[in-house]
């Protein structure tokens, strides 16, 4: 085990597109939640002794919505129970939340990577999607982080937003690249159930760009990143050499990881676990000294092979067929020969030496490729 994800489900504002497990900060028992989170760390460290984690990722919600005292409480608990040594320690952040004091606390506890949810540099669009920050907050936050010594900074962008034009997204890309950061993520908007946008869409009140415009925006993103020396190492992620997200690569390499917090998922000893999402249901078992597991699923050998394919193909390097064979004692073509041949014939997959990779067309139709390897 070399990776841990920690979920902080609190937000100052709820974005219109977000379907993650989250709660409005000011009405929740935040301190009690942090106490129970430390109990979960403690139980896991006793059940699964490990020498050292290589990646820790604190996400949400908005981890930086915690006040300075709470943030330090969380960092102390992580340091006490989750051995971490010279790896990648990431905190997600909102631009408006990153004060000098919070950055000092994070830095002092070994956090060495920030993932900032920017989404757009258009203030009108930010308001429309329910974001509380504005473009000026992004510049200020990046500047503050650099002054505190953070060099590994990533920002997230979203495209195909309601009413967004191609020119607007090109401006956002230019503004993002002008910051000269080592890592960028870009995602198309997906309207998920139980969100404000989903309700608006059902009522016919949400005007979204069409598929053709969305595809052009994605191509603009890829072209702009490449021209600026950033390698697309995964469908939605771009970095300078050596700045790839080591934590997310654990997921795409289909490796095990711990998941802590309300609604978090774990992959341990060939089993996938999900914690209770509601805070009360999450905290009650921990108060009684047991894990807050809501569901448990033992991954079958077939499911593990399917996951290896559709997760691995997200990476630009694709799936190494020799490694696959070593891991599962079967070659991918023995298991998925028909699917692979069909996708190659449709020019969505290509075979390069020992690797299967998405073609450029496959990047645009990734979901169709991934679905091909799912039999359930």
């Amino acid at each position: 085990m070399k990776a841990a994800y920690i979920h902080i489900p609190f937000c100052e504002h709820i974005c219109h597109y977000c379907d993650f497990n989250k709660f409005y900060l000011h009405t929740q028992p935040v301190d009690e939640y942090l106490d129970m989170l430390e109990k979960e760390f403690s139980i896991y460290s006793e059940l699964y002794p490990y020498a050292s984690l290589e990646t820790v990722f604190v996400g949400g919600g908005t981890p930086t919505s915690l006040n300075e005292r709470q943030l330090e409480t969380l960092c102390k608990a992580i340091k006490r129970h989750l051995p971490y040594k010279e790896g990648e320690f990431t905190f997600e952040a909102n631009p408006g939340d990153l004060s000098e004091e919070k950055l000092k606390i994070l830095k002092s506890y070994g956090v060495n990577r920030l993932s900032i949810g920017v989404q757009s540099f258009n203030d009108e669009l930010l308001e429309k999607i329910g974001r509380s920050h504005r473009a000026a907050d992004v510049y200020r936050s990046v500047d503050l982080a650099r002054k505190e010594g953070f060099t590994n900074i990533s920002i997230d962008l979203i495209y195909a937003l309601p009413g967004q034009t191609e020119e607007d997204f090109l401006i956002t890309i230019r503004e993002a690249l002008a910051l000269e950061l080592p890592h960028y993520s870009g995602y198309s908007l997906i309207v998920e159930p139980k969100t404000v946008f989903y309700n608006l869409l059902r009522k016919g009140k949400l005007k979204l760009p069409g598929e053709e415009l969305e595809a052009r925006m994605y191509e603009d993103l890829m072209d702009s990143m490449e021209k600026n020396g950033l390698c697309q190492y995964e469908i939605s992620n771009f970095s300078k050499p050596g700045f790839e997200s080591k934590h997310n690569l654990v997921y795409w390499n289909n490796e095990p990881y711990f998941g802590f917090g309300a609604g978090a998922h774990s992959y341990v000893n060939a089993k996938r676990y999900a914690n209770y999402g509601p805070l009360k249901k999450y905290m009650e078992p921990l108060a009684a000294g047991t894990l807050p597991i809501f569901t448990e699923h033992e991954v079958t050998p077939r499911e593990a092979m399917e996951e290896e394919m559709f997760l691995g193909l997200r990476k630009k390097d694709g799936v190494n067929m020799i490694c696959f064979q070593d891991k599962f004692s079967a070659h991918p073509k023995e298991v998925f020969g028909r699917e692979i041949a069909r996708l190659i014939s449709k020019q969505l997959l290509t075979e390069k030496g020992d690797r299967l990779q998405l073609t450029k067309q496959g990047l645009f139709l990734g979901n169709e490729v991934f679905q091909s390897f799912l039999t359930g």
Side-chain angles (χ1 to χ4, degrees):
M1 298 296 292
K2 64 181 183 181
Y5 171 80
I6 300 163
H7 191 66
I8 305 299
F10 307 114
C11 294
E12 290 272 4
H13 300 272
I14 305 298
C15 302
H16 297 342
Y17 55 83
C18 181
D19 73 328
F20 295 152
N21 193 48
K22 78 283 182 188
F23 308 94
Y24 182 54
L25 176 74
H26 297 291
T27 61
Q28 301 300 330
V30 180
D31 291 338
E32 185 183 350
Y33 178 81
L34 294 176
D35 289 343
M36 293 303 106
L37 190 58
E38 181 165 12
K39 282 200 172 187
E40 190 181 11
F41 295 163
S42 178
I43 294 170
Y44 263 99
S45 64
E46 290 174 12
L47 288 173
Y48 303 102
Y50 42 87
S52 180
L53 293 169
E54 295 177 17
T55 77
V56 176
F57 193 107
V58 184
T62 312
T64 51
S65 66
L66 301 177
N67 63 36
E68 285 84 356
R69 177 185 57 78
Q70 292 164 339
L71 198 60
E72 186 150 25
T73 296
L74 172 61
C75 289
K76 281 181 179 177
I78 293 171
K79 187 174 183 179
R80 265 195 296 267
H81 300 284
L82 304 181
Y84 160 77
K85 194 175 181 180
E86 296 180 6
E88 181 187 88
F89 190 176
T90 304
F91 253 75
E92 284 186 342
N94 273 358
D97 294 333
L98 282 175
S99 67
E100 183 179 339
E101 183 58 34
K102 288 182 181 180
L103 285 163
K104 284 183 185 297
I105 291 168
L106 296 178
K107 191 73 176 173
S108 70
Y109 282 93
V111 176
N112 55 20
R113 185 174 185 270
L114 297 174
S115 178
I116 304 175
V118 172
Q119 319 318 356
S120 174
F121 283 85
N122 181 322
D123 285 350
E124 288 183 16
L125 262 182
L126 287 170
E127 184 172 359
K128 188 181 290 186
I129 66 177
R131 298 293 288 178
S132 59
H133 77 271
R134 296 298 177 258
D137 297 315
V138 179
Y139 307 126
R140 182 185 62 81
S141 295
V142 170
D143 186 50
L144 273 176
R146 281 175 163 156
K147 284 178 179 175
E148 292 303 324
F150 286 95
T151 56
N152 195 350
I153 302 171
S154 174
I155 62 174
D156 288 353
L157 304 174
I158 300 181
Y159 58 94
L161 294 168
Q164 188 178 37
T165 65
E166 184 176 9
E167 179 57 31
D168 174 81
F169 186 54
L170 283 168
I171 292 170
T172 276
I173 295 171
R174 286 199 293 270
E175 292 293 316
L177 289 168
L179 293 170
E180 298 183 337
L181 299 174
H183 191 283
Y184 296 87
S185 300
Y187 305 98
S188 65
L189 176 71
I190 298 175
V191 180
E192 301 282 7
K194 299 179 182 178
T195 62
V196 172
F197 276 172
Y198 182 77
N199 292 331
L200 290 173
L201 188 66
R202 289 182 63 192
K203 295 174 184 176
K205 296 181 178 180
L206 191 69
K207 184 180 178 183
L208 297 172
E211 288 184 5
E212 186 179 326
L213 177 53
E214 180 181 334
R216 289 207 308 271
M217 289 178 178
Y218 183 39
E219 188 150 27
D220 291 336
L221 178 68
M222 291 190 288
D223 290 346
S224 299
M225 292 291 161
E226 184 179 2
K227 287 174 185 173
N228 283 270
L230 292 134
C231 176
Q232 183 177 18
Y233 69 98
E234 190 267 350
I235 283 183
S236 303
N237 287 273
F238 308 81
S239 77
K240 293 178 181 177
F243 286 90
E244 299 85 357
S245 170
K246 294 179 177 64
H247 182 83
N248 286 336
L249 281 166
V250 169
Y251 300 146
W252 301 322
N253 288 330
N254 198 24
E255 296 173 328
Y257 56 89
F258 294 115
F260 303 105
H265 292 71
S266 300
Y267 184 28
V268 182
N269 292 342
K271 291 183 180 179
R272 293 197 179 273
Y273 301 92
N275 282 351
Y276 284 103
L279 291 188
K280 186 177 179 182
K281 284 187 170 291
Y282 166 76
M283 293 192 293
E284 280 179 348
L286 287 164
T290 60
L291 289 172
I293 293 171
F294 173 57
T295 62
E296 174 183 329
H297 173 71
E298 186 161 357
V299 179
T300 67
R302 173 72 187 198
E303 288 170 336
M305 288 188 282
E306 291 173 357
E307 290 170 355
E308 192 83 7
M309 294 300 294
F310 71 74
L311 290 169
L313 285 170
R314 293 189 62 91
K315 300 176 296 178
K316 187 172 184 180
D317 286 345
V319 172
N320 184 312
M321 292 184 282
I322 302 302
C323 291
F324 184 103
Q325 186 166 22
D326 290 343
K327 190 171 183 178
F328 299 106
S329 300
H331 195 278
K333 290 185 178 179
E334 293 175 37
V335 186
F336 304 108
R338 186 181 301 172
E339 293 86 349
I340 291 169
R342 183 179 65 83
L343 292 167
I344 289 175
S345 72
K346 293 182 72 172
Q347 298 185 327
L348 300 179
L349 271 189
T350 184
E351 187 176 348
K352 293 184 178 178
D354 294 326
R355 292 186 175 275
L356 283 172
Q357 301 168 325
L358 291 177
T359 62
K360 185 167 185 179
Q361 186 180 352
L363 287 170
F364 290 90
L365 298 171
N367 286 338
E368 179 181 335
V369 176
F370 308 146
Q371 192 66 36
S372 300
F373 296 101
L374 293 174
T375 55

